[in-house]
Amino acid sequence: MPGLCVIGLQWGDEAKGKLVDWLAEGHDLIVRYQGGANAGHTVVVGDEVYKLHLIPSGIVHPGILNLVSAGVVIHPKTMLGEMDSLLERGVNIADRLKFSGRAHCVMPWHIKEDEIWNKVNSGDDNIGTTMRGIGPCYRDKVGRSFAIRMSDLLQPELEQQIRRITKYKIKSLAPFCDDGQVDLDAAKITEEYLGYAERLRPYIADTTRILLDAVDQDKGILFEGAQGSLLDVDFGTYPFVTSSNSSGVGVSSGTGVPGNWIGKTIGVAKCYSTRVGGGPFPTELHDETGEHIRVQGNEFGTTTGRPRRCGWFDAVAVRYTCRLSGADSICLTMLDVLSQLSEIHVCVAYELDGQRIEHFPENVSDIRRIKPIYETLPGWEQDITTARKLEDLPVNARAYAARLSELCQRPIEFISVGPDRVQTIVLNPDESLLDSSVV
Ligand code: GDP
Ligand code: IMO
Ligand code: MG
């Protein structure tokens, strides 16, 4: 059973958590493979709302093994907090959760560095990170000299390792701190992390081996992407990106599972666009329609609570990310949020320095200068949150979804009309909106 991937096609928060939970049944393993506690994935089952940052969104399904693999950066305190909160709510995690010993540990100095660089890079240069220490931890991972991995927490050298790194971090961060005082104490950090190690020991495992065994045994694996393809460190709106490969290209490097074993990818896209933090956003709305979408869609960050910037659907960007991430189909989310708009705009091309272009530029300066070229479609009045089949949707809503499908050159497989599991329309292959005759 070749692996199935769920990947965000925009700048994150596309409702990947909801789709992963929906698809979980029938899989043996669910894997988070990049990013860290910068992610905030929401699963809604009736009155129960689960906000997950590090633990895969399949955790509420009994009988599935949830893995946090080598490509993730783990903040042990956040992980323990999340585990405790699930246990309190009666979700059994024992034997159903494992993290890779190869995954890197987010340490107190990483959070401090995130804060410092956020202050140093102000204005238009500010990335507006989630302050979870993600960039600094990945930087140390690639740099190798000052990194600590989850399996290191269990080794006798940990104290010595923390002492050596703290010494270096204090020296390098002092010029950026008030009075040159860096609040990092090696003894305290060691004690704190030894405490985490004791509790996390039963969960640390060689997830690569578990996954490769699962491949050999033809088990069902679901890969859960975090962030979105436009935040990919190599292929996104660099430098306004996260520090990992958050598009489809990261699945193999983050897990150790060979690319030729990945069978299918579902790309998740909102039917409009949002972005949190800094960076270019060609279709951003600064008017009451943007505010309307923010309020209707409750567009406030799951991790930081920041208001998300909102704008029209950018079909040039999503066509690019569908190709980049290898999306076989699209899960179109938040369609209910656009109800009550008389007109909906879709960006179908850009104008760059007087020229029409139909590709997503690679340089941030070009992306800042592009002007979207819009096509306008009629909206619909009706509340669609109770729609469960394609034909329950008003004709204009179907026509809108069909046009997005056509512009992105991918069939739509799911349409989400609300946060709950049940608010999901599954399209049969013969309903593919790429064929506009069904509309
Ligand atoms: P993720 O990071 O991609 O998992 O997405 P988030 O959980 O950060 O943000 C998606 C938000 O939208 C969550 O609060 C979901 O409960 C909610 N949501 C998911 N699908 C829909 C939908 O179709 N309509 C509406 N109105 N909300 C949705
Ligand atoms: P999920 O998985 C939306 C954004 C931050 C910032 C940039 C870099 O819930 O979709 P970082 O802390 O990673 O160094 O921040 O990336 N960002 C996200 N935006 N959803 C996310 O995750 C994000 N994770 C990071 O806002 O602009
Ligand atoms: Mg999110």
Side-chain angles (χ1 to χ4, degrees), residues 11-14 16 38-41 127-131 134-135 226-227 231 241-242 276-278 306:
W11 283 285
D13 303 327
E14 299 92 345
K16 300 173 291 292
N38 49 351
H41 295 183
I127 296 173
T129 76
T130 57
M131 299 286 175
I134 305 297
Q227 290 80 54
L231 288 172
V241 292
T242 191
V276 211
R306 292 178 290 177

Side-chain angles (χ1 to χ4, degrees), residues 1 4 33 52 91 99 106 167 199 201 207 221 230 232 243 264 292 346 373 392 398 400 403 418:
M1 184 174 167
L4 174 63
Y33 57 87
L52 300 158
V91 178
F99 349 115
V106 175
K167 215 164 156 186
R199 286 204 55 202
R201 183 184 293 275
T207 60
I221 308 178
L230 294 170
D232 186 287
S243 300
K264 179 177 172 184
H292 172 86
V346 182
I373 298 172
D392 295 340
R398 270 183 276 163
Y400 178 63
R403 184 64 182 135

Side-chain angles (χ1 to χ4, degrees), residues 10-287:
Q10 295 155 315
W11 283 285
D13 303 327
E14 299 92 345
K16 300 173 291 292
K18 172 178 167 168
L19 183 66
V20 167
D21 168 64
W22 202 94
L23 294 166
E25 215 57 64
H27 287 88
D28 301 292
L29 301 99
I30 308 212
V31 194
R32 266 284 309 271
Y33 57 87
Q34 46 66 231
N38 49 351
H41 295 183
T42 314
V43 173
V44 180
V45 190
D47 292 337
E48 295 287 335
V49 179
Y50 301 90
K51 302 266 178 202
L52 300 158
H53 300 284
L54 281 164
I55 294 179
S57 301
I59 195 74
V60 300
H61 290 261
I64 299 178
L65 182 59
N66 290 266
L67 301 181
V68 179
S69 68
V72 176
V73 291
I74 298 178
H75 186 237
K77 189 175 173 189
T78 306
M79 176 62 95
L80 282 165
E82 216 164 305
M83 289 162 64
D84 286 343
S85 125
L86 286 167
L87 284 168
E88 272 167 30
R89 297 173 70 174
V91 178
N92 170 28
I93 55 169
D95 300 329
R96 295 213 300 113
L97 180 62
K98 296 281 175 214
F99 349 115
S100 172
R102 291 181 172 92
H104 281 245
C105 243
V106 175
M107 301 296 293
W109 46 79
H110 294 136
I111 314 264
K112 203 165 271 303
E113 285 170 335
D114 222 355
E115 281 165 19
I116 291 173
W117 305 137
N118 182 59
K119 275 196 206 135
V120 171
N121 290 311
S122 56
D124 276 357
D125 292 333
N126 190 282
I127 296 173
T129 76
T130 57
M131 299 286 175
R132 297 299 186 267
I134 305 297
C137 185
Y138 276 116
R139 191 189 299 140
D140 279 340
K141 165 178 168 166
V142 179
R144 295 154 298 163
S145 305
F146 304 110
I148 295 179
R149 306 206 293 180
M150 291 302 283
S151 53
D152 294 331
L153 296 183
L154 310 178
Q155 302 303 324
E157 297 87 359
L158 181 69
E159 186 178 356
Q160 198 189 335
Q161 213 181 352
I162 290 181
R163 217 176 318 122
R164 178 179 64 79
I165 300 174
T166 308
K167 215 164 156 186
Y168 164 80
K169 293 287 179 183
I170 289 176
K171 257 195 197 152
S172 65
L173 296 179
F176 301 98
C177 296
D178 293 340
D179 310 326
Q181 292 302 307
V182 187
D183 174 24
L184 289 172
D185 178 326
K188 268 197 207 149
I189 298 172
T190 306
E191 195 187 335
E192 181 186 342
Y193 276 71
L194 281 174
Y196 298 147
E198 239 3 83
R199 286 204 55 202
L200 293 175
R201 183 184 293 275
Y203 297 91
I204 299 174
D206 183 347
T207 60
T208 313
R209 186 149 55 85
I210 295 174
L211 280 164
L212 294 176
D213 286 349
V215 167
D216 286 349
Q217 293 157 15
D218 209 24
K219 288 191 171 165
I221 308 178
L222 176 53
F223 300 95
E224 175 175 0
Q227 290 80 54
S229 303
L230 294 170
L231 288 172
D232 186 287
V233 67
D234 289 305
F235 302 102
T237 49
Y238 190 89
F240 299 95
V241 292
T242 191
S243 300
S244 64
N245 283 121
S246 53
S247 71
V249 307
V251 182
S252 194
S253 63
T255 56
V257 173
N260 63 0
W261 199 81
I262 293 160
K264 179 177 172 184
T265 297
I266 305 177
V268 189
K270 293 185 190 192
C271 59
Y272 49 90
S273 310
T274 63
R275 137 159 244 180
V276 211
F281 180 178
T283 61
E284 183 168 13
L285 287 164
H286 297 281
D287 57 9

